Amino acid sequence: MHNLFLGLIKEHFQGVLGYNPSGQPYYDLNSGKELFHIDLPESPYNPLPTTFEEQSSVWKIIAWLQTPFDFDQSDHVAMKQTVKRWSNVHLASLIYVAKGLGCVSMTVDTKGKDTALPLPVRSLKKVHIAEQLFD
């Protein structure tokens, strides 16, 4: 029982909060840039997309989020270009990453509809999800 509790604490600090116990930063082997570590916890409420194309989009989004931006946040043109690029991936992939990072409610389905809202249900667009990831 004690080991289960310690495992839960470890998962919370490393997986949810992103604590790096080694204290060593993550680096891209090709460019040498320091990366942010993003670990999306497995959840029955947020299943990984099923098709290969959607899964490759998930890894693409995570790679984009891990790499620091090459522009300042006050550069609105570059921010809009980034959001546009992020909105060109599969909707299910965007929703999976946004749910895993807590940017979108867990009640949003893979089609972008929030099932907790009363009818008529409002559907989230890819651009809005990409903007929430960016913020």
Side-chain angles (χ1 to χ4, degrees), residues 8-20:
L8 179 66
I9 296 294
K10 178 182 175 185
E11 172 63 27
H12 180 74
F13 276 94
Q14 291 180 1
V16 177
L17 296 177
Y19 171 70
N20 182 2

Side-chain angles (χ1 to χ4, degrees), residues 10 17 19 31 46 50 58 60 67 71 81-82 89 97-98 100-101 106 108 110-111 117 122 125-127:
K10 178 182 175 185
L17 296 177
Y19 171 70
S31 67
N46 189 22
T50 54
V58 166
K60 188 185 299 184
T67 308
F71 56 88
Q81 289 174 347
T82 303
V89 297
V97 173
L101 294 175
M106 287 299 231
V108 175
T110 57
K111 304 287 185 205
L117 296 176
R122 187 173 148 244
K125 304 236 184 278
K126 291 199 287 187
V127 173

Side-chain angles (χ1 to χ4, degrees), residues 13-35:
F13 276 94
Q14 291 180 1
V16 177
L17 296 177
Y19 171 70
N20 182 2
S22 67
Q24 300 295 323
Y26 299 98
Y27 289 99
D28 183 10
L29 297 176
N30 296 329
S31 67
K33 288 184 178 179
E34 186 175 345
L35 302 176

Side-chain angles (χ1 to χ4, degrees), residues 112-134:
K113 295 184 179 171
D114 194 343
T115 57
L117 296 176
L119 291 175
V121 177
R122 187 173 148 244
S123 180
L124 294 173
K125 304 236 184 278
K126 291 199 287 187
V127 173
H128 296 116
I129 298 169
E131 287 174 347
Q132 289 176 351
L133 277 174
F134 196 82

